[in-house]
Amino acid sequence: MMMMMTETMTSEMQACIDACMNCHKMCMETMTHCMSKGGMHMDKTMMSMMSMMRDCAEMCMMCMNMMMGGSEFMERTCMLCAEMCDRCAMACEMMSDDAKMMECAAACRKCAESCRSMHMMTA
């Protein structure tokens, strides 16, 4: 059943959309940051981390689209997004000496928390 977003957009949904948008932006910026390091920094671990950031960014975009469209799959999408954001945050936190990685981790954590709150709204 399709929701009419003009009538049903809650402040919690808007906050979650905003968190997803910020997380998407941070993951994309952090990937660019990682690529700019290049050279010896581009090992297998960094390539895996960048792949995770790309996946996280894509999931955040999908989550935003599901919420804005009022999809019946919104709740499940938000829960998967939260899981992916948590994993991305953990990976970024392994590079605690890099401020950009920590900024990305914080955005991922905030998005995960917001997405989990969407589950609580419908539970």
Side-chain angles (χ1 to χ4, degrees):
M1 177 165 82
M2 181 71 88
M3 291 189 298
M4 296 299 293
M5 287 290 89
T6 57
E7 298 172 17
T8 59
M9 179 67 73
T10 65
S11 59
E12 291 85 2
M13 286 175 77
Q14 187 59 56
C16 190
I17 289 169
D18 292 345
C20 285
M21 190 177 306
N22 186 54
C23 187
H24 176 273
K25 177 182 174 286
M26 284 307 306
C27 284
M28 298 303 289
E29 286 178 5
T30 306
M31 283 174 44
T32 301
H33 168 74
C34 291
M35 287 188 284
S36 73
K37 287 184 165 190
M40 66 180 192
H41 297 286
M42 277 301 149
D43 60 6
K44 193 173 185 177
T45 302
M46 183 60 77
M47 295 301 287
S48 176
M49 190 175 300
M50 288 175 60
S51 178
M52 185 177 300
M53 283 185 262
R54 183 199 65 236
D55 290 348
C56 184
E58 290 296 328
M59 190 66 221
C60 286
M61 184 64 69
M62 177 186 267
C63 194
M64 285 188 293
N65 290 338
M66 292 288 182
M67 284 186 281
M68 288 187 288
S71 173
E72 66 183 282
F73 299 104
M74 178 182 73
E75 180 184 338
R76 287 188 278 172
T77 303
C78 285
M79 291 310 295
L80 180 57
C81 188
E83 181 182 341
M84 291 176 77
C85 286
D86 280 337
R87 287 189 186 180
C88 190
M90 284 190 289
C92 289
E93 288 165 350
M94 292 190 319
M95 297 185 70
S96 59
D97 60 330
D98 187 314
K100 189 67 174 176
M101 297 299 276
M102 296 309 291
E103 192 177 357
C104 186
C108 288
R109 292 277 182 214
K110 183 175 182 177
C111 186
E113 181 182 327
S114 190
C115 282
R116 272 191 291 279
S117 75
M118 294 304 298
H119 175 69
M120 296 304 185
M121 280 181 49
T122 59

PDB file of all heavy atoms in Angstrom, residues 8-25:
ATOM      1  N   THR A   8       1.789  11.891   5.333  1.00  0.00           N
ATOM      2  CA  THR A   8       2.304  10.974   6.343  1.00  0.00           C
ATOM      3  C   THR A   8       3.780  11.165   6.689  1.00  0.00           C
ATOM      4  O   THR A   8       4.298  10.435   7.508  1.00  0.00           O
ATOM      5  CB  THR A   8       2.101   9.511   5.886  1.00  0.00           C
ATOM      6  OG1 THR A   8       2.794   9.320   4.654  1.00  0.00           O
ATOM      7  CG2 THR A   8       0.634   9.189   5.727  1.00  0.00           C
ATOM      8  N   MET A   9       4.471  12.127   6.104  1.00  0.00           N
ATOM      9  CA  MET A   9       5.874  12.347   6.424  1.00  0.00           C
ATOM     10  C   MET A   9       5.971  12.851   7.856  1.00  0.00           C
ATOM     11  O   MET A   9       5.435  13.906   8.186  1.00  0.00           O
ATOM     12  CB  MET A   9       6.492  13.354   5.455  1.00  0.00           C
ATOM     13  CG  MET A   9       7.953  13.659   5.732  1.00  0.00           C
ATOM     14  SD  MET A   9       9.092  12.280   5.464  1.00  0.00           S
ATOM     15  CE  MET A   9       9.117  12.203   3.688  1.00  0.00           C
ATOM     16  N   THR A  10       6.605  12.073   8.708  1.00  0.00           N
ATOM     17  CA  THR A  10       6.764  12.472  10.104  1.00  0.00           C
ATOM     18  C   THR A  10       8.127  13.130  10.302  1.00  0.00           C
ATOM     19  O   THR A  10       9.017  13.022   9.453  1.00  0.00           O
ATOM     20  CB  THR A  10       6.678  11.238  11.024  1.00  0.00           C
ATOM     21  OG1 THR A  10       7.795  10.377  10.730  1.00  0.00           O
ATOM     22  CG2 THR A  10       5.368  10.485  10.834  1.00  0.00           C
ATOM     23  N   SER A  11       8.283  13.780  11.433  1.00  0.00           N
ATOM     24  CA  SER A  11       9.579  14.404  11.729  1.00  0.00           C
ATOM     25  C   SER A  11      10.662  13.335  11.879  1.00  0.00           C
ATOM     26  O   SER A  11      11.816  13.559  11.519  1.00  0.00           O
ATOM     27  CB  SER A  11       9.493  15.270  12.978  1.00  0.00           C
ATOM     28  OG  SER A  11       9.094  14.509  14.097  1.00  0.00           O
ATOM     29  N   GLU A  12      10.288  12.147  12.371  1.00  0.00           N
ATOM     30  CA  GLU A  12      11.248  11.048  12.505  1.00  0.00           C
ATOM     31  C   GLU A  12      11.706  10.569  11.131  1.00  0.00           C
ATOM     32  O   GLU A  12      12.886  10.270  10.921  1.00  0.00           O
ATOM     33  CB  GLU A  12      10.648   9.879  13.293  1.00  0.00           C
ATOM     34  CG  GLU A  12      10.420  10.159  14.754  1.00  0.00           C
ATOM     35  CD  GLU A  12       9.089  10.853  15.040  1.00  0.00           C
ATOM     36  OE1 GLU A  12       8.302  11.102  14.090  1.00  0.00           O
ATOM     37  OE2 GLU A  12       8.836  11.169  16.212  1.00  0.00           O
ATOM     38  N   MET A  13      10.747  10.476  10.196  1.00  0.00           N
ATOM     39  CA  MET A  13      11.108  10.063   8.839  1.00  0.00           C
ATOM     40  C   MET A  13      12.009  11.100   8.192  1.00  0.00           C
ATOM     41  O   MET A  13      13.002  10.749   7.555  1.00  0.00           O
ATOM     42  CB  MET A  13       9.858   9.855   7.981  1.00  0.00           C
ATOM     43  CG  MET A  13       9.099   8.594   8.314  1.00  0.00           C
ATOM     44  SD  MET A  13       7.570   8.467   7.372  1.00  0.00           S
ATOM     45  CE  MET A  13       8.198   7.966   5.786  1.00  0.00           C
ATOM     46  N   GLN A  14      11.691  12.366   8.371  1.00  0.00           N
ATOM     47  CA  GLN A  14      12.527  13.422   7.787  1.00  0.00           C
ATOM     48  C   GLN A  14      13.924  13.391   8.388  1.00  0.00           C
ATOM     49  O   GLN A  14      14.918  13.560   7.683  1.00  0.00           O
ATOM     50  CB  GLN A  14      11.888  14.801   7.982  1.00  0.00           C
ATOM     51  CG  GLN A  14      12.636  15.899   7.236  1.00  0.00           C
ATOM     52  CD  GLN A  14      12.722  15.658   5.742  1.00  0.00           C
ATOM     53  OE1 GLN A  14      11.705  15.490   5.070  1.00  0.00           O
ATOM     54  NE2 GLN A  14      13.934  15.632   5.201  1.00  0.00           N
ATOM     55  N   ALA A  15      14.016  13.156   9.696  1.00  0.00           N
ATOM     56  CA  ALA A  15      15.324  13.063  10.353  1.00  0.00           C
ATOM     57  C   ALA A  15      16.115  11.876   9.803  1.00  0.00           C
ATOM     58  O   ALA A  15      17.329  11.973   9.593  1.00  0.00           O
ATOM     59  CB  ALA A  15      15.150  12.935  11.867  1.00  0.00           C
ATOM     60  N   CYS A  16      15.439  10.770   9.561  1.00  0.00           N
ATOM     61  CA  CYS A  16      16.105   9.594   9.015  1.00  0.00           C
ATOM     62  C   CYS A  16      16.566   9.848   7.579  1.00  0.00           C
ATOM     63  O   CYS A  16      17.677   9.483   7.203  1.00  0.00           O
ATOM     64  CB  CYS A  16      15.175   8.382   9.085  1.00  0.00           C
ATOM     65  SG  CYS A  16      16.005   6.819   8.693  1.00  0.00           S
ATOM     66  N   ILE A  17      15.727  10.482   6.790  1.00  0.00           N
ATOM     67  CA  ILE A  17      16.112  10.832   5.417  1.00  0.00           C
ATOM     68  C   ILE A  17      17.341  11.746   5.441  1.00  0.00           C
ATOM     69  O   ILE A  17      18.296  11.538   4.680  1.00  0.00           O
ATOM     70  CB  ILE A  17      14.932  11.490   4.668  1.00  0.00           C
ATOM     71  CG1 ILE A  17      13.857  10.434   4.365  1.00  0.00           C
ATOM     72  CG2 ILE A  17      15.400  12.182   3.387  1.00  0.00           C
ATOM     73  CD1 ILE A  17      12.535  10.996   3.874  1.00  0.00           C
ATOM     74  N   ASP A  18      17.341  12.719   6.334  1.00  0.00           N
ATOM     75  CA  ASP A  18      18.479  13.640   6.449  1.00  0.00           C
ATOM     76  C   ASP A  18      19.750  12.891   6.866  1.00  0.00           C
ATOM     77  O   ASP A  18      20.833  13.153   6.331  1.00  0.00           O
ATOM     78  CB  ASP A  18      18.177  14.753   7.450  1.00  0.00           C
ATOM     79  CG  ASP A  18      17.089  15.711   6.970  1.00  0.00           C
ATOM     80  OD1 ASP A  18      16.747  15.704   5.761  1.00  0.00           O
ATOM     81  OD2 ASP A  18      16.550  16.452   7.825  1.00  0.00           O
ATOM     82  N   ALA A  19      19.615  11.961   7.814  1.00  0.00           N
ATOM     83  CA  ALA A  19      20.772  11.181   8.266  1.00  0.00           C
ATOM     84  C   ALA A  19      21.301  10.301   7.134  1.00  0.00           C
ATOM     85  O   ALA A  19      22.521  10.170   6.961  1.00  0.00           O
ATOM     86  CB  ALA A  19      20.403  10.329   9.481  1.00  0.00           C
ATOM     87  N   CYS A  20      20.394   9.707   6.369  1.00  0.00           N
ATOM     88  CA  CYS A  20      20.802   8.881   5.230  1.00  0.00           C
ATOM     89  C   CYS A  20      21.516   9.727   4.180  1.00  0.00           C
ATOM     90  O   CYS A  20      22.532   9.312   3.615  1.00  0.00           O
ATOM     91  CB  CYS A  20      19.595   8.188   4.595  1.00  0.00           C
ATOM     92  SG  CYS A  20      18.935   6.798   5.541  1.00  0.00           S
ATOM     93  N   MET A  21      20.982  10.916   3.930  1.00  0.00           N
ATOM     94  CA  MET A  21      21.595  11.805   2.939  1.00  0.00           C
ATOM     95  C   MET A  21      23.000  12.201   3.373  1.00  0.00           C
ATOM     96  O   MET A  21      23.938  12.188   2.577  1.00  0.00           O
ATOM     97  CB  MET A  21      20.726  13.040   2.735  1.00  0.00           C
ATOM     98  CG  MET A  21      21.161  13.901   1.563  1.00  0.00           C
ATOM     99  SD  MET A  21      20.076  15.318   1.262  1.00  0.00           S
ATOM    100  CE  MET A  21      18.486  14.538   1.110  1.00  0.00           C
ATOM    101  N   ASN A  22      23.153  12.533   4.647  1.00  0.00           N
ATOM    102  CA  ASN A  22      24.467  12.911   5.160  1.00  0.00           C
ATOM    103  C   ASN A  22      25.434  11.728   5.125  1.00  0.00           C
ATOM    104  O   ASN A  22      26.601  11.895   4.760  1.00  0.00           O
ATOM    105  CB  ASN A  22      24.351  13.466   6.584  1.00  0.00           C
ATOM    106  CG  ASN A  22      25.678  13.997   7.063  1.00  0.00           C
ATOM    107  OD1 ASN A  22      26.300  14.830   6.418  1.00  0.00           O
ATOM    108  ND2 ASN A  22      26.130  13.497   8.206  1.00  0.00           N
ATOM    109  N   CYS A  23      24.963  10.556   5.477  1.00  0.00           N
ATOM    110  CA  CYS A  23      25.815   9.368   5.461  1.00  0.00           C
ATOM    111  C   CYS A  23      26.265   9.062   4.027  1.00  0.00           C
ATOM    112  O   CYS A  23      27.431   8.758   3.783  1.00  0.00           O
ATOM    113  CB  CYS A  23      25.072   8.184   6.068  1.00  0.00           C
ATOM    114  SG  CYS A  23      26.111   6.717   6.282  1.00  0.00           S
ATOM    115  N   HIS A  24      25.341   9.150   3.090  1.00  0.00           N
ATOM    116  CA  HIS A  24      25.678   8.938   1.676  1.00  0.00           C
ATOM    117  C   HIS A  24      26.783   9.906   1.256  1.00  0.00           C
ATOM    118  O   HIS A  24      27.793   9.504   0.675  1.00  0.00           O
ATOM    119  CB  HIS A  24      24.426   9.143   0.815  1.00  0.00           C
ATOM    120  CG  HIS A  24      24.685   9.041  -0.648  1.00  0.00           C
ATOM    121  ND1 HIS A  24      25.085  10.116  -1.402  1.00  0.00           N
ATOM    122  CD2 HIS A  24      24.603   7.990  -1.490  1.00  0.00           C
ATOM    123  CE1 HIS A  24      25.247   9.734  -2.655  1.00  0.00           C
ATOM    124  NE2 HIS A  24      24.952   8.444  -2.739  1.00  0.00           N
ATOM    125  N   LYS A  25      26.589  11.178   1.582  1.00  0.00           N
ATOM    126  CA  LYS A  25      27.561  12.216   1.232  1.00  0.00           C
ATOM    127  C   LYS A  25      28.927  11.933   1.866  1.00  0.00           C
ATOM    128  O   LYS A  25      29.960  12.008   1.202  1.00  0.00           O
ATOM    129  CB  LYS A  25      27.031  13.570   1.704  1.00  0.00           C
ATOM    130  CG  LYS A  25      27.961  14.748   1.490  1.00  0.00           C
ATOM    131  CD  LYS A  25      27.309  16.016   2.065  1.00  0.00           C
ATOM    132  CE  LYS A  25      28.220  17.208   2.035  1.00  0.00           C
ATOM    133  NZ  LYS A  25      29.269  17.167   3.033  1.00  0.00           N
TER     134      LYS A  25
END
